[in-house]
Amino acid sequence: MWNYGMHNGNWGTMFFLALFLLLFVVLAVVLIVYFMRKPPNAEGGSRSSSSATDLLKERYARGEISTEEYRERLHELEGYDTKK
């Protein structure tokens, strides 16, 4: 018995089977990451759909804008904000 019972064709088959299983695992991981990153809200919106006042508050909290600029922009946005 040559090759302990493993014929030359079996190595190729095992290689492609291992490659297929690796691709399957990679695809499963990609799908899991994709569905875990989806926003939890019912509308399916993302961070870009958050209101302008929320973004303004975040910029103010990070110190990107001054208090005066924050108040001016907030006053301007109050007329456009549909949530209030």
Side-chain angles (χ1 to χ4, degrees):
M1 288 235 157
W2 294 95
N3 298 330
Y4 302 102
M6 296 296 292
H7 303 286
N8 289 337
N10 288 345
W11 289 108
T13 303
M14 287 176 27
F15 172 75
F16 284 111
L17 179 62
L19 183 66
F20 174 75
L21 289 174
L22 179 67
L23 289 174
F24 180 76
V25 168
V26 168
L27 178 65
V29 169
V30 167
L31 287 174
I32 289 170
V33 168
Y34 172 76
F35 286 114
M36 293 291 285
R37 285 189 167 186
K38 286 186 83 173
N41 57 1
E43 296 89 30
S46 64
R47 176 154 163 51
S48 63
S49 68
S50 63
S51 71
T53 54
D54 292 338
L55 295 174
L56 184 63
K57 288 176 186 177
E58 289 178 15
R59 289 189 62 200
Y60 180 66
R62 286 193 299 257
E64 294 177 6
I65 57 176
S66 66
T67 304
E68 295 83 22
E69 188 176 0
Y70 170 75
R71 288 181 181 157
E72 288 174 10
R73 291 184 181 194
L74 185 63
H75 180 66
E76 290 176 7
L77 288 172
E78 284 178 348
Y80 299 107
D81 196 2
T82 58
K83 290 184 178 179
K84 291 186 177 188

CSV table of all heavy atoms in Angstrom, one decimal, residues 22-78:
chain,number,residue,atom,x,y,z
A,22,LEU,N,-13.6,26.8,5.1
A,22,LEU,CA,-13.0,28.1,5.5
A,22,LEU,C,-13.9,29.2,5.0
A,22,LEU,O,-14.2,30.2,5.7
A,22,LEU,CB,-11.6,28.2,5.1
A,22,LEU,CG,-10.9,29.5,5.4
A,22,LEU,CD1,-10.7,29.6,6.9
A,22,LEU,CD2,-9.5,29.6,4.7
A,23,LEU,N,-14.2,29.2,3.7
A,23,LEU,CA,-15.1,30.2,3.1
A,23,LEU,C,-16.4,30.3,3.8
A,23,LEU,O,-17.0,31.4,4.0
A,23,LEU,CB,-15.2,29.9,1.6
A,23,LEU,CG,-14.0,30.2,0.8
A,23,LEU,CD1,-14.3,29.8,-0.7
A,23,LEU,CD2,-13.6,31.6,0.8
A,24,PHE,N,-17.0,29.1,4.2
A,24,PHE,CA,-18.3,29.1,4.9
A,24,PHE,C,-18.2,29.8,6.2
A,24,PHE,O,-19.0,30.6,6.6
A,24,PHE,CB,-18.7,27.6,5.0
A,24,PHE,CG,-20.0,27.5,5.7
A,24,PHE,CD1,-21.2,27.8,5.1
A,24,PHE,CD2,-20.1,27.1,7.1
A,24,PHE,CE1,-22.4,27.7,5.7
A,24,PHE,CE2,-21.3,27.0,7.7
A,24,PHE,CZ,-22.5,27.3,7.1
A,25,VAL,N,-17.1,29.5,7.0
A,25,VAL,CA,-16.9,30.2,8.3
A,25,VAL,C,-16.7,31.7,8.1
A,25,VAL,O,-17.3,32.5,8.9
A,25,VAL,CB,-15.7,29.5,9.0
A,25,VAL,CG1,-15.3,30.3,10.2
A,25,VAL,CG2,-16.1,28.1,9.4
A,26,VAL,N,-15.9,32.1,7.1
A,26,VAL,CA,-15.7,33.5,6.9
A,26,VAL,C,-17.0,34.2,6.5
A,26,VAL,O,-17.4,35.3,7.0
A,26,VAL,CB,-14.7,33.7,5.8
A,26,VAL,CG1,-14.6,35.2,5.3
A,26,VAL,CG2,-13.3,33.3,6.3
A,27,LEU,N,-17.8,33.6,5.7
A,27,LEU,CA,-19.1,34.1,5.3
A,27,LEU,C,-20.1,34.2,6.5
A,27,LEU,O,-20.7,35.2,6.7
A,27,LEU,CB,-19.8,33.3,4.2
A,27,LEU,CG,-21.2,33.7,3.8
A,27,LEU,CD1,-21.1,35.1,3.1
A,27,LEU,CD2,-21.8,32.7,2.9
A,28,ALA,N,-20.0,33.2,7.4
A,28,ALA,CA,-20.9,33.3,8.6
A,28,ALA,C,-20.4,34.4,9.5
A,28,ALA,O,-21.3,35.1,10.0
A,28,ALA,CB,-20.8,31.9,9.3
A,29,VAL,N,-19.1,34.6,9.7
A,29,VAL,CA,-18.6,35.7,10.5
A,29,VAL,C,-19.0,37.0,10.0
A,29,VAL,O,-19.5,37.9,10.7
A,29,VAL,CB,-17.1,35.6,10.7
A,29,VAL,CG1,-16.6,36.8,11.4
A,29,VAL,CG2,-16.8,34.3,11.5
A,30,VAL,N,-18.9,37.2,8.6
A,30,VAL,CA,-19.3,38.5,8.0
A,30,VAL,C,-20.8,38.8,8.2
A,30,VAL,O,-21.1,39.9,8.5
A,30,VAL,CB,-18.9,38.5,6.5
A,30,VAL,CG1,-19.5,39.6,5.7
A,30,VAL,CG2,-17.4,38.5,6.4
A,31,LEU,N,-21.6,37.8,8.0
A,31,LEU,CA,-23.0,38.0,8.2
A,31,LEU,C,-23.4,38.3,9.6
A,31,LEU,O,-24.2,39.2,9.9
A,31,LEU,CB,-23.8,36.7,7.7
A,31,LEU,CG,-23.9,36.5,6.2
A,31,LEU,CD1,-24.5,35.2,5.9
A,31,LEU,CD2,-24.6,37.7,5.5
A,32,ILE,N,-22.7,37.6,10.6
A,32,ILE,CA,-23.0,37.9,12.0
A,32,ILE,C,-22.6,39.4,12.3
A,32,ILE,O,-23.3,40.1,13.0
A,32,ILE,CB,-22.3,36.9,12.9
A,32,ILE,CG1,-22.9,35.5,12.8
A,32,ILE,CG2,-22.2,37.4,14.3
A,32,ILE,CD1,-22.1,34.4,13.4
A,33,VAL,N,-21.4,39.8,11.9
A,33,VAL,CA,-21.0,41.2,12.1
A,33,VAL,C,-21.9,42.2,11.5
A,33,VAL,O,-22.3,43.2,12.1
A,33,VAL,CB,-19.5,41.4,11.6
A,33,VAL,CG1,-19.2,42.8,11.6
A,33,VAL,CG2,-18.6,40.6,12.5
A,34,TYR,N,-22.4,41.9,10.3
A,34,TYR,CA,-23.3,42.8,9.6
A,34,TYR,C,-24.6,42.9,10.3
A,34,TYR,O,-25.1,44.1,10.5
A,34,TYR,CB,-23.6,42.2,8.2
A,34,TYR,CG,-24.7,43.0,7.4
A,34,TYR,CD1,-24.4,44.3,6.9
A,34,TYR,CD2,-26.0,42.5,7.3
A,34,TYR,CE1,-25.4,45.0,6.2
A,34,TYR,CE2,-26.9,43.2,6.6
A,34,TYR,CZ,-26.6,44.4,6.1
A,34,TYR,OH,-27.6,45.2,5.5
A,35,PHE,N,-25.2,41.8,10.8
A,35,PHE,CA,-26.5,41.9,11.5
A,35,PHE,C,-26.3,42.5,12.9
A,35,PHE,O,-27.3,43.0,13.4
A,35,PHE,CB,-27.2,40.6,11.5
A,35,PHE,CG,-27.8,40.2,10.2
A,35,PHE,CD1,-27.3,39.1,9.5
A,35,PHE,CD2,-28.8,41.0,9.6
A,35,PHE,CE1,-27.8,38.8,8.2
A,35,PHE,CE2,-29.3,40.7,8.4
A,35,PHE,CZ,-28.8,39.6,7.7
A,36,MET,N,-25.1,42.3,13.5
A,36,MET,CA,-24.9,42.9,14.8
A,36,MET,C,-24.8,44.4,14.8
A,36,MET,O,-25.1,45.1,15.7
A,36,MET,CB,-23.7,42.3,15.5
A,36,MET,CG,-23.8,40.8,15.8
A,36,MET,SD,-24.9,40.5,17.1
A,36,MET,CE,-24.0,41.0,18.5
A,37,ARG,N,-24.3,45.0,13.6
A,37,ARG,CA,-24.1,46.4,13.5
A,37,ARG,C,-25.4,47.1,13.1
A,37,ARG,O,-25.4,48.4,13.1
A,37,ARG,CB,-23.0,46.7,12.5
A,37,ARG,CG,-21.7,46.4,13.0
A,37,ARG,CD,-20.6,46.9,12.0
A,37,ARG,NE,-19.3,46.9,12.6
A,37,ARG,CZ,-18.3,47.4,12.1
A,37,ARG,NH1,-18.3,47.9,10.9
A,37,ARG,NH2,-17.1,47.3,12.7
A,38,LYS,N,-26.4,46.4,12.7
A,38,LYS,CA,-27.6,47.1,12.3
A,38,LYS,C,-28.2,47.9,13.5
A,38,LYS,O,-28.1,47.4,14.6
A,38,LYS,CB,-28.7,46.1,11.8
A,38,LYS,CG,-28.3,45.6,10.4
A,38,LYS,CD,-29.5,44.8,9.9
A,38,LYS,CE,-30.5,45.7,9.3
A,38,LYS,NZ,-31.5,45.0,8.6
A,39,PRO,N,-28.8,49.1,13.2
A,39,PRO,CA,-29.3,49.9,14.4
A,39,PRO,C,-30.5,49.2,15.0
A,39,PRO,O,-31.3,48.5,14.3
A,39,PRO,CB,-29.7,51.2,13.7
A,39,PRO,CG,-29.8,50.9,12.3
A,39,PRO,CD,-28.9,49.7,12.0
A,40,PRO,N,-30.7,49.3,16.3
A,40,PRO,CA,-31.7,48.6,17.0
A,40,PRO,C,-33.1,49.3,16.8
A,40,PRO,O,-34.1,48.7,17.1
A,40,PRO,CB,-31.3,48.7,18.4
A,40,PRO,CG,-30.5,49.9,18.5
A,40,PRO,CD,-29.8,50.0,17.2
A,41,ASN,N,-33.2,50.5,16.3
A,41,ASN,CA,-34.5,51.2,16.2
A,41,ASN,C,-35.3,50.6,15.1
A,41,ASN,O,-34.8,50.0,14.1
A,41,ASN,CB,-34.3,52.7,16.0
A,41,ASN,CG,-33.5,53.0,14.8
A,41,ASN,OD1,-33.0,52.2,14.1
A,41,ASN,ND2,-33.3,54.3,14.6
A,42,ALA,N,-36.6,50.7,15.2
A,42,ALA,CA,-37.5,50.1,14.2
A,42,ALA,C,-37.5,50.7,12.9
A,42,ALA,O,-37.8,50.0,11.9
A,42,ALA,CB,-39.0,50.1,14.8
A,43,GLU,N,-37.1,52.0,12.7
A,43,GLU,CA,-37.1,52.6,11.5
A,43,GLU,C,-36.0,52.1,10.6
A,43,GLU,O,-36.0,52.3,9.4
A,43,GLU,CB,-37.0,54.1,11.6
A,43,GLU,CG,-38.2,54.8,12.3
A,43,GLU,CD,-38.0,54.8,13.8
A,43,GLU,OE1,-36.8,54.9,14.2
A,43,GLU,OE2,-38.9,54.8,14.5
A,44,GLY,N,-35.0,51.5,11.2
A,44,GLY,CA,-33.9,51.1,10.4
A,44,GLY,C,-32.9,52.2,10.0
A,44,GLY,O,-32.1,52.1,9.2
A,45,GLY,N,-33.0,53.3,10.7
A,45,GLY,CA,-32.2,54.4,10.5
A,45,GLY,C,-30.8,54.2,11.0
A,45,GLY,O,-30.5,53.3,11.8
A,46,SER,N,-29.9,55.1,10.7
A,46,SER,CA,-28.5,55.0,11.2
A,46,SER,C,-28.2,56.2,11.9
A,46,SER,O,-29.0,57.1,12.1
A,46,SER,CB,-27.6,54.7,10.0
A,46,SER,OG,-27.6,55.9,9.2
A,47,ARG,N,-26.9,56.3,12.3
A,47,ARG,CA,-26.4,57.5,13.0
A,47,ARG,C,-26.6,58.8,12.2
A,47,ARG,O,-26.9,59.8,12.7
A,47,ARG,CB,-25.0,57.3,13.3
A,47,ARG,CG,-24.4,58.5,14.0
A,47,ARG,CD,-23.2,58.1,14.9
A,47,ARG,NE,-22.3,59.2,15.3
A,47,ARG,CZ,-22.7,60.3,15.8
A,47,ARG,NH1,-23.9,60.6,16.0
A,47,ARG,NH2,-21.8,61.2,16.2
A,48,SER,N,-26.6,58.7,10.9
A,48,SER,CA,-26.8,59.9,10.0
A,48,SER,C,-28.2,60.4,10.1
A,48,SER,O,-28.4,61.6,9.7
A,48,SER,CB,-26.4,59.6,8.6
A,48,SER,OG,-27.3,58.6,8.1
A,49,SER,N,-29.2,59.6,10.6
A,49,SER,CA,-30.5,60.1,10.7
A,49,SER,C,-30.8,60.8,12.0
A,49,SER,O,-32.0,61.1,12.2
A,49,SER,CB,-31.5,59.0,10.4
A,49,SER,OG,-31.4,58.1,11.5
A,50,SER,N,-29.9,60.9,12.9
A,50,SER,CA,-30.1,61.5,14.2
A,50,SER,C,-30.4,63.0,14.0
A,50,SER,O,-29.9,63.6,13.0
A,50,SER,CB,-29.0,61.3,15.2
A,50,SER,OG,-27.8,61.9,14.7
A,51,SER,N,-31.1,63.6,14.9
A,51,SER,CA,-31.5,65.0,14.7
A,51,SER,C,-30.4,65.9,14.7
A,51,SER,O,-29.3,65.6,15.3
A,51,SER,CB,-32.6,65.3,15.7
A,51,SER,OG,-32.0,65.5,17.0
A,52,ALA,N,-30.5,67.1,14.1
A,52,ALA,CA,-29.5,68.1,14.1
A,52,ALA,C,-29.2,68.6,15.5
A,52,ALA,O,-28.0,68.9,15.8
A,52,ALA,CB,-29.9,69.2,13.2
A,53,THR,N,-30.2,68.6,16.4
A,53,THR,CA,-29.9,69.1,17.7
A,53,THR,C,-29.1,68.1,18.5
A,53,THR,O,-28.2,68.5,19.3
A,53,THR,CB,-31.2,69.3,18.5
A,53,THR,OG1,-32.0,68.2,18.5
A,53,THR,CG2,-32.0,70.5,17.9
A,54,ASP,N,-29.3,66.8,18.3
A,54,ASP,CA,-28.4,65.8,18.9
A,54,ASP,C,-27.0,65.9,18.5
A,54,ASP,O,-26.0,65.8,19.3
A,54,ASP,CB,-28.9,64.4,18.6
A,54,ASP,CG,-30.3,64.1,19.3
A,54,ASP,OD1,-30.6,64.8,20.2
A,54,ASP,OD2,-30.9,63.2,18.8
A,55,LEU,N,-26.8,66.2,17.2
A,55,LEU,CA,-25.4,66.4,16.7
A,55,LEU,C,-24.8,67.6,17.2
A,55,LEU,O,-23.6,67.7,17.6
A,55,LEU,CB,-25.4,66.4,15.2
A,55,LEU,CG,-25.8,65.1,14.4
A,55,LEU,CD1,-25.9,65.4,12.9
A,55,LEU,CD2,-24.9,64.0,14.8
A,56,LEU,N,-25.6,68.7,17.4
A,56,LEU,CA,-25.1,69.9,17.9
A,56,LEU,C,-24.7,69.7,19.4
A,56,LEU,O,-23.7,70.2,19.8
A,56,LEU,CB,-26.2,71.0,17.8
A,56,LEU,CG,-25.8,72.4,18.3
A,56,LEU,CD1,-24.6,72.9,17.4
A,56,LEU,CD2,-27.0,73.3,18.2
A,57,LYS,N,-25.5,69.0,20.1
A,57,LYS,CA,-25.2,68.7,21.5
A,57,LYS,C,-23.9,67.9,21.7
A,57,LYS,O,-23.1,68.1,22.6
A,57,LYS,CB,-26.3,67.9,22.2
A,57,LYS,CG,-27.6,68.8,22.4
A,57,LYS,CD,-28.7,67.9,23.0
A,57,LYS,CE,-30.0,68.7,23.1
A,57,LYS,NZ,-31.1,67.9,23.6
A,58,GLU,N,-23.7,66.9,20.7
A,58,GLU,CA,-22.4,66.2,20.8
A,58,GLU,C,-21.2,67.0,20.5
A,58,GLU,O,-20.2,66.9,21.2
A,58,GLU,CB,-22.5,65.0,19.7
A,58,GLU,CG,-23.5,63.9,20.1
A,58,GLU,CD,-23.6,62.9,19.1
A,58,GLU,OE1,-22.7,62.8,18.2
A,58,GLU,OE2,-24.5,62.1,19.1
A,59,ARG,N,-21.3,67.9,19.5
A,59,ARG,CA,-20.2,68.8,19.2
A,59,ARG,C,-19.9,69.7,20.4
A,59,ARG,O,-18.8,70.0,20.7
A,59,ARG,CB,-20.5,69.6,17.9
A,59,ARG,CG,-20.5,68.8,16.7
A,59,ARG,CD,-20.6,69.7,15.4
A,59,ARG,NE,-19.4,70.5,15.4
A,59,ARG,CZ,-19.4,71.6,14.7
A,59,ARG,NH1,-20.5,72.0,14.0
A,59,ARG,NH2,-18.3,72.4,14.6
A,60,TYR,N,-21.0,70.2,21.0
A,60,TYR,CA,-20.8,71.1,22.2
A,60,TYR,C,-20.1,70.3,23.3
A,60,TYR,O,-19.2,70.8,24.0
A,60,TYR,CB,-22.1,71.7,22.6
A,60,TYR,CG,-22.0,72.6,23.8
A,60,TYR,CD1,-21.3,73.8,23.8
A,60,TYR,CD2,-22.6,72.2,25.0
A,60,TYR,CE1,-21.2,74.6,24.9
A,60,TYR,CE2,-22.5,73.1,26.2
A,60,TYR,CZ,-21.8,74.3,26.1
A,60,TYR,OH,-21.7,75.1,27.1
A,61,ALA,N,-20.5,69.1,23.5
A,61,ALA,CA,-20.0,68.3,24.6
A,61,ALA,C,-18.5,67.9,24.3
A,61,ALA,O,-17.7,67.8,25.3
A,61,ALA,CB,-20.8,67.0,24.8
A,62,ARG,N,-18.1,67.8,23.1
A,62,ARG,CA,-16.7,67.5,22.8
A,62,ARG,C,-15.9,68.8,22.8
A,62,ARG,O,-14.7,68.7,22.7
A,62,ARG,CB,-16.6,66.9,21.4
A,62,ARG,CG,-17.1,65.4,21.3
A,62,ARG,CD,-16.7,64.8,20.0
A,62,ARG,NE,-17.3,65.4,18.9
A,62,ARG,CZ,-18.3,65.0,18.2
A,62,ARG,NH1,-18.9,63.9,18.5
A,62,ARG,NH2,-18.8,65.7,17.1
A,63,GLY,N,-16.5,69.9,22.9
A,63,GLY,CA,-15.8,71.2,23.0
A,63,GLY,C,-15.4,71.8,21.6
A,63,GLY,O,-14.5,72.6,21.5
A,64,GLU,N,-16.1,71.3,20.6
A,64,GLU,CA,-15.8,71.8,19.2
A,64,GLU,C,-16.3,73.2,19.0
A,64,GLU,O,-15.8,73.9,18.1
A,64,GLU,CB,-16.3,70.8,18.2
A,64,GLU,CG,-15.6,69.4,18.2
A,64,GLU,CD,-16.2,68.5,17.2
A,64,GLU,OE1,-17.1,68.9,16.4
A,64,GLU,OE2,-15.9,67.3,17.2
A,65,ILE,N,-17.4,73.5,19.7
A,65,ILE,CA,-18.0,74.8,19.5
A,65,ILE,C,-18.2,75.5,20.9
A,65,ILE,O,-18.2,74.8,21.9
A,65,ILE,CB,-19.4,74.7,18.8
A,65,ILE,CG1,-20.3,73.8,19.5
A,65,ILE,CG2,-19.2,74.3,17.4
A,65,ILE,CD1,-21.7,73.8,19.0
A,66,SER,N,-18.2,76.8,20.8
A,66,SER,CA,-18.3,77.6,22.1
A,66,SER,C,-19.8,77.6,22.6
A,66,SER,O,-20.7,77.2,21.8
A,66,SER,CB,-17.8,79.0,21.9
A,66,SER,OG,-18.7,79.7,21.0
A,67,THR,N,-20.0,78.1,23.8
A,67,THR,CA,-21.3,78.2,24.3
A,67,THR,C,-22.2,79.2,23.5
A,67,THR,O,-23.3,78.9,23.3
A,67,THR,CB,-21.2,78.7,25.8
A,67,THR,OG1,-20.4,77.8,26.5
A,67,THR,CG2,-22.6,78.7,26.4
A,68,GLU,N,-21.6,80.3,23.1
A,68,GLU,CA,-22.4,81.3,22.3
A,68,GLU,C,-22.8,80.7,21.0
A,68,GLU,O,-23.9,80.8,20.5
A,68,GLU,CB,-21.5,82.5,22.1
A,68,GLU,CG,-21.2,83.3,23.4
A,68,GLU,CD,-20.0,82.7,24.1
A,68,GLU,OE1,-19.2,82.0,23.5
A,68,GLU,OE2,-19.9,83.0,25.3
A,69,GLU,N,-21.8,80.0,20.4
A,69,GLU,CA,-22.2,79.4,19.1
A,69,GLU,C,-23.2,78.3,19.2
A,69,GLU,O,-24.1,78.1,18.4
A,69,GLU,CB,-20.9,78.8,18.4
A,69,GLU,CG,-21.0,78.3,17.0
A,69,GLU,CD,-19.7,77.8,16.4
A,69,GLU,OE1,-18.7,77.9,17.1
A,69,GLU,OE2,-19.8,77.4,15.2
A,70,TYR,N,-23.1,77.5,20.3
A,70,TYR,CA,-24.1,76.5,20.6
A,70,TYR,C,-25.5,77.1,20.7
A,70,TYR,O,-26.4,76.6,20.1
A,70,TYR,CB,-23.7,75.7,21.8
A,70,TYR,CG,-24.8,74.7,22.3
A,70,TYR,CD1,-25.0,73.5,21.7
A,70,TYR,CD2,-25.5,75.1,23.5
A,70,TYR,CE1,-26.0,72.7,22.1
A,70,TYR,CE2,-26.5,74.2,23.9
A,70,TYR,CZ,-26.8,73.0,23.2
A,70,TYR,OH,-27.7,72.2,23.7
A,71,ARG,N,-25.6,78.1,21.5
A,71,ARG,CA,-26.9,78.7,21.8
A,71,ARG,C,-27.5,79.3,20.5
A,71,ARG,O,-28.7,79.2,20.2
A,71,ARG,CB,-26.8,79.8,22.8
A,71,ARG,CG,-26.6,79.2,24.2
A,71,ARG,CD,-26.5,80.3,25.3
A,71,ARG,NE,-26.3,79.7,26.6
A,71,ARG,CZ,-25.7,80.3,27.6
A,71,ARG,NH1,-25.3,81.5,27.5
A,71,ARG,NH2,-25.6,79.7,28.7
A,72,GLU,N,-26.6,80.0,19.7
A,72,GLU,CA,-27.1,80.6,18.4
A,72,GLU,C,-27.6,79.5,17.5
A,72,GLU,O,-28.7,79.6,16.9
A,72,GLU,CB,-25.9,81.3,17.7
A,72,GLU,CG,-25.6,82.6,18.4
A,72,GLU,CD,-24.3,83.2,17.7
A,72,GLU,OE1,-23.9,82.7,16.6
A,72,GLU,OE2,-23.8,84.2,18.3
A,73,ARG,N,-26.9,78.4,17.3
A,73,ARG,CA,-27.3,77.3,16.4
A,73,ARG,C,-28.5,76.6,16.9
A,73,ARG,O,-29.4,76.2,16.2
A,73,ARG,CB,-26.1,76.4,16.2
A,73,ARG,CG,-25.0,77.0,15.4
A,73,ARG,CD,-23.9,76.0,15.1
A,73,ARG,NE,-22.9,76.7,14.3
A,73,ARG,CZ,-21.9,76.0,13.7
A,73,ARG,NH1,-21.9,74.7,13.7
A,73,ARG,NH2,-21.0,76.6,13.1
A,74,LEU,N,-28.6,76.4,18.2
A,74,LEU,CA,-29.7,75.8,18.8
A,74,LEU,C,-31.0,76.6,18.6
A,74,LEU,O,-32.1,76.1,18.3
A,74,LEU,CB,-29.5,75.5,20.3
A,74,LEU,CG,-30.6,74.8,21.0
A,74,LEU,CD1,-30.7,73.3,20.5
A,74,LEU,CD2,-30.3,74.7,22.5
A,75,HIS,N,-30.9,77.9,18.8
A,75,HIS,CA,-32.0,78.8,18.5
A,75,HIS,C,-32.4,78.8,17.1
A,75,HIS,O,-33.6,78.8,16.8
A,75,HIS,CB,-31.6,80.3,18.9
A,75,HIS,CG,-32.7,81.3,18.7
A,75,HIS,ND1,-33.8,81.3,19.5
A,75,HIS,CD2,-32.8,82.3,17.8
A,75,HIS,CE1,-34.6,82.2,19.1
A,75,HIS,NE2,-34.0,82.9,18.1
A,76,GLU,N,-31.5,78.7,16.1
A,76,GLU,CA,-31.8,78.6,14.7
A,76,GLU,C,-32.5,77.3,14.4
A,76,GLU,O,-33.4,77.2,13.6
A,76,GLU,CB,-30.6,78.7,13.9
A,76,GLU,CG,-30.0,80.1,13.9
A,76,GLU,CD,-28.7,80.2,13.1
A,76,GLU,OE1,-28.4,79.2,12.4
A,76,GLU,OE2,-28.1,81.3,13.1
A,77,LEU,N,-32.0,76.2,15.1
A,77,LEU,CA,-32.6,74.9,14.8
A,77,LEU,C,-34.0,74.6,15.4
A,77,LEU,O,-34.7,73.8,15.0
A,77,LEU,CB,-31.6,73.8,15.3
A,77,LEU,CG,-30.3,73.6,14.5
A,77,LEU,CD1,-29.4,72.6,15.2
A,77,LEU,CD2,-30.7,73.2,13.1
A,78,GLU,N,-34.3,75.4,16.5
A,78,GLU,CA,-35.6,75.1,17.1
A,78,GLU,C,-36.8,75.3,16.2
A,78,GLU,O,-37.8,74.6,16.3
A,78,GLU,CB,-35.7,76.0,18.3
A,78,GLU,CG,-34.9,75.6,19.5
A,78,GLU,CD,-35.0,76.5,20.7
A,78,GLU,OE1,-35.5,77.6,20.5
A,78,GLU,OE2,-34.6,76.1,21.8
